[in-house]
Amino acid sequence: MDADDETFAPITDEVGANGGDEQRSRRPIISGDHLDIEAYASLYSGRTKIMRLLFIADHSSDEKVGNPSMNLEALRMAYDEIKKGENTQLMREVAQKINGRLGPSYELDSAWCDAVDHRAEQKKEKLDNELNAYRTNLIKESIRMGYNDFGDFYYAHGQLGDAFKSYVRTRDYCTTSKHIVHMCMSVILVSIEMGQFTHVTSYVNKAEQAPDALDSITIAKLRCAAGLANLEAKKYKLAARKFLETNPELGSHYSEVIAPQDVATYGGLCALATFDRTELKSKVIDNLNFRNFLELVPEVRELINDFYSSHYASCLEYLGNLKANLLLDIHLHDHVETLYDQIRHKALIQYTLPFVSVDLSMMANAFKTTVAELQKELEALITDNQIQARIDSHNKILYARHADQRNATFQRVLETGREFDRDVRSMLLRSNLVKHDYNVRQFRKL
Amino acid sequence: MDPMEALVAQIQGLSSTPGDIARLHIILKQADDSLRAESTRLSPVLGQLAPSEHSLGFLYVLDAFTSGQISKQQAETSVPIITGFINACNAEQIRLAPEKFVLVCKRLKDQVMMLEAPIRGVGPLLTAARKLQLSTEHLTPLHSDFLMLCVLAKCYKTGLSILEDDIFEVDQPRDLFLYCYYGGMICIGLKRFQKALDLLHNVVTAPMSTLNAIAVEAYKKYILVSLIHHGQLSTSLPKYASSVAQRSLKNFCQPYIELANSYGTEKIAELEAYVQTNTEKFENDNNLGLVKQVVLSMYKRNIQRLTQTYLTLSLQDIANTVQLNSPKEAEMHVLQMIQDGEIYATINQRDGMVRFLEDPEQYKTCEMIENIDSSIQRIMALSRKLSAMDEQISCDQLYLSKVGRERQRYDFDDFDVPTKFNI
């Protein structure tokens, strides 16, 4: 039934109701109008859970969808999560943000903070002493474990820079490739939290050079990390490739960084924005591994299928629905606009590709905009040379236009001839001047 | 008077064969000072000599006659004499004393300027330049003076005829600068912007050890013409321009560079505002007319861009996109461009629509084939010339001595000097 609706809808009729109502009942977590924060947060663990909740809290206040309840909900959950850990800095931040709105049990618990700090001091001293002991004994393995413990300690307390340094120091004491991989994974985790994705890339490369110690889960983790780094660096095509290569055994093993739903969403969107049709088909739609991920986010799957089968209206509608929630995602936030623009442009270009002439009003219907808006968008694309066509603004028709190779060649030939002529003449003139000048100087010397 | 008479007789007698003329030349050189002393009494002498046969003698006498201060009435009488001489003189005899000839012509130029009738000097100087040239590729000092008079007299077509020759040999770099500068101005006047650009480019990139005012003025005009013709300005001079030019030219032409930047933003309002604020500066350099053309060219470029995206467009839309005030203005602009051949379009006045057409040139006509053929011939000839020059330089004594000196530092064993230079 759904398939039938979709074939009729985009070309002639209103596509507003295109599959929308039936979809909502099986709507999973990341989609629809409001984010189910609890379910979202349950996908993650550790520090990233807290950071994501804080991000949602910050940004749900300035969203148009934003409701203060989501804001408070996120802060409450963040508070609970932080209490389970040992990060007093974050605790203070959250308490300040809550600002007493959640009642007395959610205020700054200074007693808890002091207790945690005190415990931290003691632990630090202990670790320090142990490490010094190991260092004097020069037992490599122990020293490595000591630095590792330090790293873990700093990470738990939110001192990311020190954690990074400690983990990096273990490198000198790694003896097997398993150690190296362990170190790389720790460093990657800290770098992602710090937002320094150049380190992520270099350490992923490092880890991948020790193939014997890598099991498939670790490989999947490394791919995800690499994908994230590329996403941040705006290299969407590479990011898409990395995410698509992730094998489904990842499951929830990397919940300190990323959830499988995210892999599907990021990979799907980046692929849609940068791949051409053949790549899209072979690497995404026919990709059995990635299908497992896409099952978790059916909206993205539907969106990609719609795009491939040219049902642009429903595709863009899905995108619109997802947008609000994607803007709350900590990694994708800055890239949503760019990716969406790219996808829209690709849709426009793909629409006009097979035709000699296109009626602009029908096209405007398919994309759910007005003819004037559409004309502006097309004009930009034509000027950018992405569409080879011209607009008949009187009759509102787009005509494909193919460059006349023969004429273009003639023009280029004549132009090249003229330039050569000009350049050689002025060169001969200049060399004459130089010779004259040189002669004068020589004669003066003589 | 006696020495004069003797001299006249000698001139008349020794002007027939080349050997005689050589002797006459020596005599004349020796008599030069005495001629100058008698300058006021030389008019009857001139009457006795015939310019076409006794050119050399006439030249020396004329030189002495016109040296010194000349008032306006005297100029009235001497201009026709000089003009007559130039038209009638014998080219080979003249070439024996080129500096004197050049001096005489320069005085002619000064006199017509004094009389405020530069057009009187245009014809004679053209003939003079042609006679003095050893070949059409040779630049004489007279070329620049001739072009200057053309610019002042607004006889652009005459000037163009001499610009059509390619120049390859130059005696004095200063002549070249002036020649190219005035030539550029003439081409701008005739709206042949590509040729103007070439000439001004030559000035700007010519080898020079210190910056001169001609190059600065030429660069200002170069910027403006480049904007009109190409719609953009390359920000750095090519590598072969002298280092002096590359470093310092920009500092003297700051307002123009900013104009180019403003043009690059493609916002007409900004461009016009900038021109308004700096009108005085442009006017001082006598470039205001060109600047106005630059603003006009921006409208043209915007309309041309529209031809790439639209097949038909209403005049109202054109006016809106290009930021003109009314469809009427848009229609005028489009009409002008169609007439100038800058775009291909038809205007439908009833609907107020413009239909853009493709370039009808199919490159299939006889004229096009001839055009291509002549271009090929020209370039082959140029290519041959280039190889000939290359060979000539490799055999040049000065070049070899300089290269030889450098080479010897590296190879001590090579005694056979000539083979080292076969690359």
Side-chain angles (χ1 to χ4, degrees):
Chain A
M1 314 163 284
D2 286 0
D4 284 346
D5 281 347
E6 285 167 14
T7 41
F8 282 120
I11 310 293
T12 46
D13 299 337
E14 293 302 325
V15 290
N18 181 28
D21 297 317
E22 289 117 274
Q23 305 283 5
R24 274 172 224 274
S25 51
R26 44 188 173 92
R27 187 197 332 151
I29 303 169
I30 305 179
S31 68
D33 306 292
H34 294 298
L35 189 58
D36 185 351
I37 299 190
E38 282 211 39
Y40 179 73
S42 66
L43 293 170
Y44 305 100
S45 65
R47 196 192 148 86
T48 189
K49 185 171 176 178
I50 305 172
M51 300 310 291
R52 282 171 190 261
L53 287 169
L54 285 178
F55 189 85
I56 292 176
D58 285 338
H59 286 262
S60 65
S61 48
D62 53 33
E63 281 302 319
K64 289 172 222 141
V65 191
N67 36 7
S69 65
M70 191 148 70
N71 178 309
L72 285 176
E73 182 72 15
L75 285 173
R76 187 180 63 79
M77 294 187 65
Y79 188 93
D80 289 332
E81 196 57 36
I82 295 176
K83 253 275 169 64
K84 294 183 207 153
E86 296 183 355
N87 195 333
T88 53
Q89 176 64 26
L90 279 180
M91 169 61 85
R92 287 182 227 273
E93 258 185 62
V94 165
Q96 201 182 32
K97 285 193 183 144
I98 294 181
N99 222 353
R101 286 178 286 165
L102 284 173
S105 53
Y106 285 100
E107 280 181 357
L108 180 58
D109 194 348
S110 350
W112 179 87
C113 286
D114 290 335
V116 168
D117 284 336
H118 186 65
R119 268 206 308 271
E121 276 298 316
Q122 287 181 328
K123 182 141 189 231
K124 183 163 177 206
E125 265 192 60
K126 182 166 120 324
L127 285 175
D128 226 352
N129 292 334
E130 281 180 10
L131 189 60
N132 283 331
Y134 295 145
R135 273 220 291 252
T136 45
N137 290 337
L138 284 181
I139 314 169
K140 260 198 167 175
E141 180 59 23
S142 315
I143 300 178
R144 189 187 73 86
M145 301 277 293
Y147 272 121
N148 244 327
D149 291 335
F150 246 119
D152 295 334
F153 167 76
Y154 280 133
Y155 182 69
H157 284 265
Q159 290 159 296
L160 294 174
D162 295 323
F164 182 80
K165 280 191 219 140
S166 304
Y167 284 129
V168 170
R169 283 219 193 98
T170 66
R171 184 162 97 199
D172 302 326
Y173 306 99
C174 291
T175 43
T176 69
S177 38
K178 246 197 162 52
H179 293 164
I180 296 181
V181 170
H182 178 86
M183 175 213 56
C184 289
M185 295 307 296
S186 317
V187 171
I188 290 173
L189 183 61
V190 176
S191 308
I192 293 181
E193 285 299 318
M194 283 204 291
Q196 289 179 354
F197 286 91
T198 40
H199 289 145
V200 173
T201 330
S202 53
Y203 279 94
V204 164
N205 287 336
K206 218 181 287 241
E208 279 173 353
Q209 281 165 5
D212 45 335
L214 295 174
D215 57 343
S216 56
I217 296 185
T218 323
I219 296 181
K221 289 187 189 176
L222 288 172
R223 291 266 194 285
C224 287
L228 271 182
N230 281 325
L231 179 64
E232 285 301 315
K234 297 198 203 275
K235 294 186 197 149
Y236 300 123
K237 195 155 192 175
L238 290 174
R241 292 220 184 104
K242 290 287 175 192
F243 282 125
L244 292 169
E245 284 167 14
T246 315
N247 59 55
E249 287 179 24
L250 175 74
S252 51
H253 289 118
Y254 212 19
S255 57
E256 317 79 81
V257 171
I258 197 173
Q261 281 86 344
D262 290 339
V263 173
T265 322
Y266 298 169
L269 283 181
C270 290
L272 203 54
T274 51
F275 283 3
D276 60 16
R277 271 179 81 80
T278 37
E279 273 196 284
L280 197 64
K281 178 115 177 92
S282 60
K283 293 215 177 120
V284 181
I285 298 180
D286 291 344
N287 184 339
L288 292 168
N289 280 340
F290 199 63
R291 205 172 281 178
N292 294 330
F293 285 112
L294 280 178
E295 287 303 319
L296 299 167
V297 204
E299 289 226 356
V300 176
R301 185 193 64 207
E302 289 307 311
L303 153 64
I304 296 180
N305 282 330
D306 279 341
F307 186 90
Y308 188 73
S309 52
S310 308
H311 296 134
Y312 301 111
S314 67
C315 170
L316 291 173
E317 200 201 336
Y318 278 122
L319 275 180
N321 284 340
L322 286 178
K323 189 169 184 176
N325 290 329
L326 289 179
L327 281 172
L328 292 175
D329 182 291
I330 197 173
H331 291 293
L332 203 55
H333 174 81
D334 305 319
H335 307 277
V336 171
E337 288 295 343
T338 328
L339 285 172
Y340 270 48
D341 280 339
Q342 283 188 359
I343 295 177
R344 194 185 168 83
H345 286 163
K346 281 189 118 221
L348 284 170
I349 298 172
Q350 202 173 278
Y351 187 97
T352 59
L353 214 50
F355 298 109
V356 166
S357 64
V358 175
D359 182 2
L360 286 183
S361 45
M362 275 178 39
M363 189 171 172
N365 254 344
F367 282 91
K368 316 228 3 198
T369 77
T370 62
V371 176
E373 286 284 325
L374 184 66
Q375 195 167 312
K376 274 210 203 74
E377 285 188 60
L378 285 174
E379 193 184 317
L381 284 173
I382 294 175
T383 322
D384 229 2
N385 221 8
Q386 305 225 19
I387 299 185
Q388 316 290 336
R390 302 222 297 199
I391 303 178
D392 180 344
S393 148
H394 186 50
N395 301 324
K396 302 288 179 219
I397 300 184
L398 183 79
Y399 287 104
R401 173 223 209 183
H402 301 289
D404 187 341
Q405 292 285 26
R406 185 175 168 279
N407 280 359
T409 313
F410 268 101
Q411 271 176 346
R412 256 207 322 271
V413 162
L414 285 174
E415 186 58 38
T416 315
R418 274 192 285 264
E419 274 177 27
F420 179 79
D421 193 26
R422 254 201 323 267
D423 288 340
V424 171
R425 265 188 292 128
S426 44
M427 192 165 65
L428 287 173
L429 182 60
R430 268 197 306 277
S431 65
N432 189 288
L433 280 176
V434 172
K435 187 165 92 160
H436 169 84
D437 194 36
Y438 191 73
N439 289 348
V440 166
R441 264 190 274 153
Q442 282 301 101
F443 290 141
R444 259 189 250 145
K445 264 196 237 168
L446 300 169
Chain B
M1 220 28 165
D2 260 353
M4 280 297 111
E5 296 229 1
L7 195 59
V8 170
Q10 274 180 322
I11 293 176
Q12 282 167 335
L14 292 172
S15 292
S16 34
T17 67
D20 285 343
I21 293 184
R23 263 182 26 207
L24 180 59
H25 196 193
I26 301 173
I27 298 174
L28 281 172
K29 277 199 233 179
Q30 288 165 342
D32 197 27
D33 297 323
S34 55
L35 275 175
R36 273 181 202 274
E38 310 263 349
S39 62
T40 43
R41 291 184 284 166
L42 286 174
S43 356
V45 177
L46 285 175
Q48 288 175 329
L49 296 171
S52 46
E53 293 150 27
H54 314 131
S55 305
L56 196 57
F58 199 102
L59 177 62
Y60 269 82
V61 177
L62 193 56
D63 174 44
F65 177 59
T66 52
S67 63
Q69 290 291 64
I70 295 201
S71 65
K72 254 196 163 164
Q73 300 99 319
Q74 281 176 311
E76 269 301 336
T77 49
S78 70
V79 165
I81 302 180
I82 305 182
T83 315
F85 167 64
I86 293 178
N87 286 335
C89 69
N90 182 322
E92 277 122 32
Q93 292 196 19
I94 296 301
R95 290 193 195 133
L96 291 172
E99 313 87 24
K100 286 226 179 278
F101 188 62
V102 170
L103 263 175
V104 168
C105 293
K106 280 206 192 296
R107 287 197 200 116
L108 171 67
K109 179 196 86 171
D110 295 331
Q111 286 167 13
V112 298
M113 298 264 285
M114 200 167 33
L115 291 173
E116 285 166 24
I119 196 163
R120 288 172 71 170
V122 169
L125 272 186
L126 177 58
T127 335
R130 288 250 179 264
K131 286 197 180 165
L132 190 57
Q133 267 184 327
L134 293 168
S135 71
T136 51
E137 293 173 357
H138 188 219
L139 185 74
T140 65
L142 296 175
H143 280 79
S144 43
D145 291 332
F146 164 66
L147 286 178
M148 191 180 84
L149 286 179
C150 285
V151 172
L152 287 172
K154 302 214 189 312
C155 304
Y156 295 139
K157 290 243 171 63
T158 343
L160 197 61
S161 61
I162 216 172
L163 285 172
E164 296 291 351
D165 300 329
D166 300 326
I167 298 291
F168 291 120
E169 285 175 48
V170 177
D171 288 330
Q172 274 284 18
R174 188 162 170 276
D175 297 334
L176 180 71
F177 289 149
L178 281 172
Y179 169 80
C180 287
Y181 180 65
Y182 291 131
M185 285 173 74
I186 289 181
C187 290
I188 294 176
L190 287 172
K191 295 224 187 311
R192 293 188 46 166
F193 291 116
Q194 184 57 57
K195 198 160 171 66
L197 214 54
D198 292 339
L199 286 165
L200 292 170
H201 185 77
N202 278 342
V203 182
V204 168
T205 56
M208 48 182 149
S209 47
T210 55
L211 206 54
N212 56 41
I214 308 174
V216 173
E217 292 301 314
Y219 191 58
K220 290 179 186 167
K221 291 206 163 51
Y222 177 74
I223 296 178
L224 292 173
V225 176
S226 171
L227 286 177
I228 295 177
H229 190 69
H230 286 309
Q232 59 188 355
L233 175 70
S234 59
T235 44
S236 61
L237 291 173
K239 272 194 302 183
Y240 46 77
S242 65
S243 51
V244 176
Q246 280 180 4
R247 266 179 288 141
S248 341
L249 264 182
K250 293 208 181 126
N251 303 341
F252 289 97
C253 307
Q254 211 40 43
Y256 295 84
I257 309 250
E258 275 164 34
L259 184 71
N261 289 341
S262 167
Y263 191 94
T265 61
E266 294 177 20
K267 293 200 179 57
I268 295 191
E270 265 189 46
L271 187 66
E272 284 187 344
Y274 184 79
V275 170
Q276 277 299 98
T277 48
N278 290 315
T279 313
E280 273 177 43
K281 282 189 223 164
F282 293 137
E283 217 164 331
N284 287 342
D285 293 330
N286 288 333
N287 283 333
L288 193 60
L290 260 185
V291 172
K292 295 215 166 91
Q293 285 195 36
V294 168
V295 178
L296 209 62
S297 78
M298 180 157 231
Y299 287 114
K300 288 190 195 170
R301 221 158 279 290
N302 286 346
I303 296 181
Q304 269 174 338
R305 218 172 297 134
L306 287 174
T307 64
Q308 292 301 317
T309 20
Y310 288 94
L311 261 184
T312 63
L313 196 57
S314 68
L315 285 170
Q316 181 62 44
D317 282 332
I318 295 182
N320 290 343
T321 326
V322 181
Q323 290 157 35
L324 286 169
N325 291 332
S326 70
K328 264 285 159 216
E329 269 193 47
E331 190 179 337
M332 267 179 8
H333 274 264
V334 173
L335 196 59
Q336 187 63 42
M337 286 174 77
I338 297 176
Q339 278 176 347
D340 290 338
E342 287 165 5
I343 61 174
Y344 303 98
T346 52
I347 305 181
N348 184 335
Q349 281 194 327
R350 193 166 43 120
D351 296 334
M353 280 295 199
V354 179
R355 187 177 192 84
F356 296 117
L357 308 163
E358 295 282 348
D359 182 357
E361 178 62 68
Q362 286 295 316
Y363 299 98
K364 287 180 185 161
T365 60
C366 283
E367 290 94 28
M368 183 49 71
I369 306 253
E370 276 177 30
N371 192 342
I372 297 181
D373 193 47
S374 66
S375 294
I376 295 178
Q377 298 296 341
R378 208 173 131 79
I379 291 185
M380 280 167 62
L382 206 56
S383 207
R384 272 194 292 269
K385 194 176 173 63
L386 188 60
S387 336
M389 193 161 201
D390 187 39
E391 277 180 38
Q392 196 193 39
I393 291 188
S394 359
C395 308
D396 187 85
Q397 182 206 25
L398 290 167
Y399 171 76
L400 285 176
S401 62
K402 175 156 186 167
V403 173
R405 243 178 289 141
E406 282 175 11
R407 286 288 184 106
Q408 266 167 13
R409 263 182 260 144
Y410 296 109
D411 320 292
F412 286 100
D413 310 313
D414 263 312
F415 288 100
D416 199 0
V417 168
T419 57
K420 270 196 283 188
F421 306 118
N422 291 339
I423 299 170

